[in-house]
Amino acid sequence: MESGIALALIILLPFVGSLCAAFLPSNARNAEAWLAGLVALACAALTLAQYDQVADGIVLRAAVPWLPQAGLDFSLRMDGFAWLFALLVAVMGALVVIYARYYLSPQDPVPRFFAFLLAFMGSMLGIVLSGNLIQLAVFWELTSFSSFMLIAYWYHRLDARQGARMALTVTAAGGFCLLAGVIMLGTIAGSYDLERVLRAGDAVRAHSWYPATLVLILLGALSKSAQFPLQFWLPHAMAAPTPVSAYLHSATMVKAGVFLLARLWPVLAGTDLWFGLVCGAGLASLLLGAVAALFERDMKGVLAYSTISHLGLITLLLGMNSPLALVAAIFHMMNHATFKATLFMAAGIVDHEAGTRDLRRLNGLASVMPITATVATVAAAAMAGVPLLNGFISKEMFFAEAIFAGEGPLLRVGLPAMATLAGVFSVAYSLRLVHQVFFGPLARDLPRGAPQEPARWMLAPGVLLVLACLLVGILPARTIGPGLALAVRSILGAETPAYSLVIWHGFTLPLAMSLTALVGGVGLYLLRYFYGQRATGLSPVRAPLDGRRVFDILIVVLHRVAERMVRFASSRRQQSQLFLIVSMAFVVGALPLLAGGLARGNMRLMPVDPVYLLFWFVGCSCALGAAVQAKFHRLAALIMLGGAGLFTGLSFAWFAAPDLALTQIAVEVVTLVLLLLGLRWLPRRVESDDTDRSTRQARIRRARDLVVAGIVGSGLAALSFAMLTRAPLDRLARYYVERALPEGGGRNVVNVILVDFRGFDTLGEITVVAIVALTVYALLRRFRPAPESIEVPRAQREGVALPGGRGFEPQAQLPAGDLMIPAVLVRLLLPMAGLVAVYLLLRGHNAPGGGFVGGLVMATAFVTQYMVGGAMWIEWRMRVHPQNWVALGLMAAGGAGAFAWAAGPPFLASLETDVTLPLVGEVHLSSALLFDFGVYLVVVGATSLMLVALAHQSFRSPRPG
């Protein structure tokens, strides 16, 4: 298989599997597990298949145009480091899937779990294989979202909701910092392409933006890997199901931060600032996590704090500015994944069988769960750094680097001493975890009675990972050696140092530090066990460093500040709200103009035509009249507003813009009718006496609004005049006119701009139209007319019910409206309007028309049917189903873009072909027609949906008076 296709499949398969898993039935546990497992194994197999090329030093690449105007492609890149991490993510995902199949209960919503787990896997693989920085930031945020859904999987529990919210808040905020940092990094390097960025290390470190860039990227990485001072969210994420915790801690979310630090090590490392910030955060996390783990009462809590500590060890190594430290960091990333996933699975088994993870209630489980106890003990020993296990080798490498990392007596003595102290605590909490759970007399008061070994397949993933710990610990050079060499060489290149993965280096100072840590850890645990009455409570060191309390205080402060701002800036009166919005928008728009000035361009003005000046005067008079009459004479205001719209359409026609004129007139017709239908349900406004205080205040507000409207309108007019008289706009017009036919395949420049050059904008606009229509429909379903606006609902007066409701009989002879002759004429008009609408749709790419105006014409035909025939008569004979129209329209427009993208050109570009049809002859087809057809369907559906919602008010009871 071609390497580019393989890379694409590694990314796509998890997301496709996620969609498939979401639609499987809730009782298909085996099918869900098989699907997720096969997807993970397929990703692992595809990754393994690339080993030969990666081992030869080839960097595999695949790219698809994404935003070519911004120099961005959807780029995938696999070197040795990415290969090793992708393999870790895929293999660990397969083991977690097997474990989760037996961990989840039949009552759990399995489709949702596996759907988000696969999305989580795909997001992490996207980070690992991303070939440019912006794309990496996108996948970075996807991991935050998918982990939020997984942590909140049991959303009926308060701790799950709170933990998920905290995790999302911290990691998403870090993600925004990362996005700002990578934008600055790409700007310095001159490209967002990862290959070019990695070669620009000297330029980046010498740039004046380097400190700010480094801080922003570190905020993103440290928040994701739960490093000081942003480590507090990770223990509260333990409310997630244990398979999620095992995957999150071993290969995915928390490893993303240290992966990024290692990925960008050639660019950002090598400075005193890097050393101080990264080593400082790593050392603080290493010590604080180790101390907290020794006093935690929950098994998963102990493992969470130990994760913070071990990731702190990795971060500390990455900050040392030493190539050998980088080797040790990558090695420990792999080792940590194996023993930490095993320990989480063991904790889940204990919870699954005993019904609790509380260390104060657990004891002696080895007598009834010997395999689980053995697996957990070996994994804990690896975490503690016991010889002949993988954790021992990487921890010795850490001690060796700590000896030579710093300059000066303080660092030369202090850093090795603190590293040894962290090792002491690591041994102590590892020993405490297995001793208090599995040894001693068997606990008798467990929630689920007598525990026993789980199903064999639930044990199998942990057993395999423990075997990996043993094999790497005994034969490191033959097992992990080749993969580690690939990863290190892909980052350091020619600067790769010489190192050896052997168990015995002789009697050295690192060995002495390891033995000191082992002996000291055993002694510390025994001291705590005998004199601390086992788990006596929380450490006194933890209380002042409780990050959750700080987080909760910040959230409360933000809420109170927001509430005060809302009370200050908001009002239940729409008039006051609009005044604030318009005023703020004007100020924000005026500030840059005040700084830079606003002058008209040098283009020659057209002579003033008296006829057009008359049009302009009449249109302005209608607009002013509508504003004056809007408060008490709504119908008159609406008529004058329609007049202003009509003269606006005539202005478009005057300036040779027939497309805009057609659209403006069609919009005015539909809008006028819909507003008329809505106005009938509003109560009448009665003008009060001029001496009334509220009336005087209302007049003052209206005068204020008049002044604001005049200032804002004049400002916008001046801005428009200044921009339209500038030469670049004239060149822009020539650009579109010259390229519309050869590049867009159409002679109607306006339509080509909408469906090709600015097709993405149009897609967003019709999506907004669909959302607005659905919102109006949802609001009007709960709306009840005011008592004074309606006497008795027509449904009650005639004894019939709404279509689809109780009591409605399709065979009933419903009234067909009061004006029979116009009703007959309007019904004859419907097929003619449909024909005109289709005609405008088909001709729009080369002549005035298009999907938007065609949709408005068709919507107008539907509006007139409802007005004349009545909602009951219409819906008995013709079910419009506007929601289906909207959905099909969005699918058609998006499908046109995706079809072009799949064929090679950018998203939403036009594809053209000529076909010969029988009896018709040669026909020119373009994908722009499909896009325009989507616009047509959305406009018809959205307008009809709002119309139906308004028409159904005739059948609702009035609001209680």
Side-chain angles (χ1 to χ4, degrees):
M1 181 183 296
E2 187 181 346
S3 59
I5 298 175
L7 295 182
L9 286 176
I10 293 173
I11 298 291
L12 285 175
L13 281 177
F15 290 107
V16 174
S18 175
L19 291 175
C20 295
F23 289 101
L24 287 176
S26 58
N27 59 353
R29 299 179 67 205
N30 290 330
E32 295 276 355
W34 274 104
L35 172 64
L38 289 175
V39 167
L41 289 175
C43 292
L46 288 169
T47 304
L48 283 171
Q50 313 310 311
Y51 175 78
D52 291 338
Q53 297 184 72
V54 174
D56 291 338
I58 300 173
V59 178
L60 307 180
R61 297 180 181 87
V64 177
W66 181 19
L67 294 174
Q69 296 87 348
L72 292 178
D73 294 334
F74 186 86
S75 173
L76 300 177
R77 178 183 183 275
M78 177 183 281
D79 58 6
F81 185 46
W83 179 87
L84 184 62
F85 234 95
L87 186 64
L88 174 68
V89 172
V91 171
M92 202 63 70
L95 296 176
V96 168
V97 167
I98 297 172
Y99 177 82
R101 161 62 183 84
Y102 297 93
Y103 178 86
L104 297 174
S105 69
Q107 290 74 31
D108 288 322
V110 178
R112 180 157 55 87
F113 177 84
F114 283 109
F116 285 116
L117 185 71
L118 288 172
F120 194 28
M121 180 192 301
S123 302
M124 188 64 196
L125 288 170
I127 292 176
V128 172
L129 298 178
S130 284
N132 71 63
L133 298 178
I134 302 298
Q135 177 184 322
L136 185 147
V138 172
F139 282 113
W140 189 277
E141 290 303 294
L142 284 177
T143 60
S144 296
F145 171 74
S146 52
S147 65
F148 168 79
M149 301 303 296
L150 287 169
I151 296 170
Y153 177 70
W154 288 322
Y155 56 83
H156 59 278
R157 291 169 39 179
L158 178 62
D159 60 338
R161 298 196 301 272
Q162 290 179 339
R165 184 188 66 171
M166 186 182 297
L168 180 64
T169 303
V170 175
T171 58
F176 281 119
C177 294
L178 175 67
L179 178 61
V182 298
I183 289 174
M184 295 175 69
L185 183 60
T187 303
I188 297 171
S191 173
Y192 295 111
D193 182 73
L194 185 60
E195 196 79 35
R196 294 182 58 182
V197 170
L198 292 176
R199 293 196 298 263
D202 294 336
V204 171
R205 288 185 291 269
H207 202 277
S208 59
W209 286 4
Y210 171 74
T213 304
L214 177 60
V215 170
L216 289 170
I217 292 176
L218 286 182
L219 284 173
L222 298 180
S223 64
K224 187 74 81 172
S225 285
Q227 294 296 281
F228 181 85
L230 303 169
Q231 81 287 350
F232 54 86
W233 67 267
L234 188 59
H236 301 287
M238 295 303 99
T242 300
V244 174
S245 302
Y247 200 33
L248 184 147
H249 286 248
S250 62
T252 51
M253 179 119 159
V254 296
K255 287 290 173 63
V258 291
F259 169 84
L260 182 66
L261 293 180
R263 177 87 282 175
L264 297 179
W265 197 89
V267 185
L268 301 177
T271 64
D272 292 338
L273 183 61
W274 169 274
F275 179 85
L277 293 178
V278 180
C279 285
L283 185 60
S285 304
L286 173 65
L287 294 174
L288 290 176
V291 173
L294 187 59
F295 295 92
E296 180 60 44
R297 299 171 179 174
D298 180 76
M299 288 184 69
K300 287 176 66 174
V302 173
L303 297 176
Y305 282 110
S306 71
T307 297
I308 294 173
S309 180
H310 279 268
L311 291 176
L313 185 153
I314 296 169
T315 304
L316 178 58
L317 284 168
L318 291 170
M320 289 180 179
N321 290 327
S322 165
L324 280 174
L326 177 66
V327 176
I330 298 173
F331 188 25
H332 199 67
M333 289 182 200
M334 303 298 114
N335 293 337
H336 176 263
T338 54
F339 61 69
K340 188 52 61 70
T342 305
L343 288 169
F344 266 108
M345 291 178 183
I349 290 172
V350 171
D351 188 21
H352 190 270
E353 298 299 323
T356 182
R357 301 191 307 262
D358 193 336
L359 292 173
R360 296 168 299 178
R361 303 182 62 183
L362 294 168
N363 211 33
L365 296 184
S367 59
V368 292
M369 304 171 65
I371 300 178
T372 303
T374 303
V375 168
T377 302
V378 176
M383 182 168 65
V386 174
L388 298 183
L389 293 170
N390 58 355
F392 169 75
I393 303 175
S394 56
K395 189 166 285 189
E396 262 213 335
M397 296 173 72
F398 164 60
F399 288 151
E401 291 305 309
I403 296 171
F404 304 104
E407 298 179 357
L410 182 62
L411 285 178
R412 284 190 177 275
V413 176
L415 193 56
M418 287 184 281
T420 306
L421 180 62
V424 169
F425 278 101
S426 177
V427 173
Y429 64 67
S430 301
L431 181 59
R432 172 178 175 248
L433 182 67
V434 295
H435 183 262
Q436 291 190 202
V437 175
F438 296 106
F439 296 95
L442 180 63
R444 300 297 181 186
D445 58 344
L446 298 176
R448 295 185 181 174
Q452 59 183 357
E453 290 286 12
R456 288 175 296 176
W457 284 105
M458 192 174 182
L459 282 169
V463 172
L464 291 175
L465 291 172
V466 161
L467 289 176
C469 294
L470 286 167
L471 289 174
V472 173
I474 298 171
L475 301 170
R478 295 187 179 183
T479 52
I480 193 66
L484 181 61
L486 285 180
V488 173
R489 194 164 56 246
S490 66
I491 296 176
L492 296 177
E495 298 179 3
T496 302
Y499 62 92
S500 61
L501 296 178
V502 295
I503 304 172
W504 178 252
H505 290 90
F507 291 100
T508 59
L509 184 55
L511 178 62
M513 294 168 67
S514 296
L515 295 177
T516 303
L518 288 171
V519 175
V522 174
L524 178 62
Y525 173 67
L526 293 176
L527 181 67
R528 187 191 184 282
Y529 181 77
F530 289 109
Y531 294 98
Q533 298 300 316
R534 306 182 70 188
T536 56
L538 298 178
S539 166
V541 180
R542 282 184 58 195
L545 299 173
D546 188 357
R548 178 178 179 177
R549 181 174 177 81
V550 176
F551 176 82
D552 290 339
I553 291 173
L554 289 176
I555 292 295
V556 170
V557 170
L558 287 175
H559 281 179
R560 289 179 178 175
V561 171
E563 288 174 357
R564 291 187 178 183
M565 293 181 65
V566 168
R567 284 197 298 268
F568 171 77
S570 66
S571 171
R572 298 186 66 181
R573 298 178 59 87
Q574 187 181 28
Q575 188 180 28
S576 302
Q577 288 289 98
L578 289 175
F579 170 76
L580 289 173
I581 293 173
V582 171
S583 300
M584 289 301 297
F586 178 77
V587 170
V588 171
L591 286 176
L593 296 177
L594 292 176
L598 180 66
R600 58 155 292 182
N602 54 6
M603 290 183 64
R604 187 171 58 86
L605 300 182
M606 296 174 60
V608 178
D609 192 295
V611 178
Y612 177 73
L613 190 62
L614 178 63
F615 283 169
W616 181 84
F617 178 77
V618 175
C620 291
S621 300
C622 288
L624 290 173
V628 172
Q629 299 294 329
K631 187 172 181 64
F632 298 105
H633 306 285
R634 299 189 183 111
L635 181 59
L638 194 58
I639 293 173
M640 285 185 280
L641 191 63
L646 175 62
F647 284 107
T648 302
L650 291 175
S651 297
F652 289 140
W654 185 273
F655 288 106
D659 272 290
L660 298 180
L662 280 173
T663 304
Q664 177 68 30
I665 293 173
V667 167
E668 287 299 324
V669 172
V670 175
T671 304
L672 185 65
V673 174
L674 290 177
L675 287 176
L676 281 172
L677 291 174
L679 287 181
R680 65 172 295 199
W681 305 115
L682 296 180
R684 294 187 60 187
R685 298 294 296 271
V686 180
E687 193 166 2
S688 304
D689 188 10
D690 290 347
T691 59
D692 185 68
R693 181 181 178 184
S694 61
T695 303
R696 292 197 300 272
Q697 291 177 345
R699 291 182 182 276
I700 294 173
R701 284 196 302 270
R702 296 181 70 192
R704 176 203 66 188
D705 294 343
L706 177 61
V707 173
V708 172
I711 294 174
V712 174
S714 301
L716 288 175
L719 180 63
S720 300
F721 180 77
M723 294 303 298
L724 291 174
T725 54
R726 295 174 186 264
L729 289 179
D730 182 50
R731 291 199 298 269
L732 184 63
R734 288 199 301 271
Y735 172 87
Y736 285 123
V737 170
E738 292 170 359
R739 286 167 172 78
L741 183 60
E743 296 184 12
R747 294 181 177 84
N748 184 354
V749 180
V750 174
N751 186 268
V752 172
I753 292 174
L754 292 177
V755 302
D756 192 312
F757 293 119
R758 303 298 298 273
F760 201 81
D761 291 349
T762 306
L763 182 62
E765 289 164 3
I766 63 174
T767 304
V768 171
V769 169
I771 294 172
V772 169
L774 291 172
T775 304
V776 171
Y777 179 72
L779 291 174
L780 288 179
R781 288 186 66 183
R782 295 180 176 273
F783 174 76
R784 293 295 181 270
E788 61 269 26
S789 68
I790 182 172
E791 296 180 0
V792 179
R794 183 175 177 181
Q796 294 181 6
R797 189 167 64 243
E798 299 176 355
V800 295
L802 192 66
R806 183 177 301 173
F808 176 71
E809 298 180 0
Q811 293 81 11
Q813 293 297 321
L814 301 178
D818 298 326
L819 302 176
M820 296 303 298
I821 296 178
V824 172
L825 294 177
V826 169
R827 285 165 202 154
L828 291 176
L829 183 64
L830 180 61
M832 298 299 299
L835 185 62
V836 172
V838 173
Y839 171 73
L840 291 172
L841 166 67
L842 295 178
R843 76 194 298 264
H845 206 50
N846 293 292
F852 195 83
V853 66
L856 289 173
V857 170
M858 195 67 202
T860 304
F862 284 138
V863 169
T864 55
Q865 299 299 313
Y866 270 87
M867 290 179 62
V868 176
M872 297 294 292
W873 191 91
I874 294 297
E875 295 188 8
W876 173 40
R877 289 164 172 80
M878 180 182 65
R879 300 306 302 268
V880 179
H881 298 296
Q883 297 96 326
N884 297 345
W885 290 62
V886 172
L888 289 174
L890 291 176
M891 291 175 62
F899 179 72
W901 196 15
F907 184 66
L908 286 175
S910 294
L911 295 179
E912 302 174 25
T913 185
D914 292 316
V915 297
T916 303
L917 299 178
L919 304 178
V920 176
E922 187 172 338
V923 177
H924 181 76
L925 297 179
S926 172
S927 62
L929 178 61
L930 180 61
F931 183 85
D932 227 4
F933 182 62
V935 175
Y936 170 85
L937 292 177
V938 170
V939 171
V940 175
T943 309
S944 302
L945 188 61
M946 291 185 282
L947 167 66
V948 169
L950 285 169
H952 285 180
Q953 298 304 317
S954 301
F955 309 102
R956 303 189 189 279
S957 300
R959 187 172 64 242

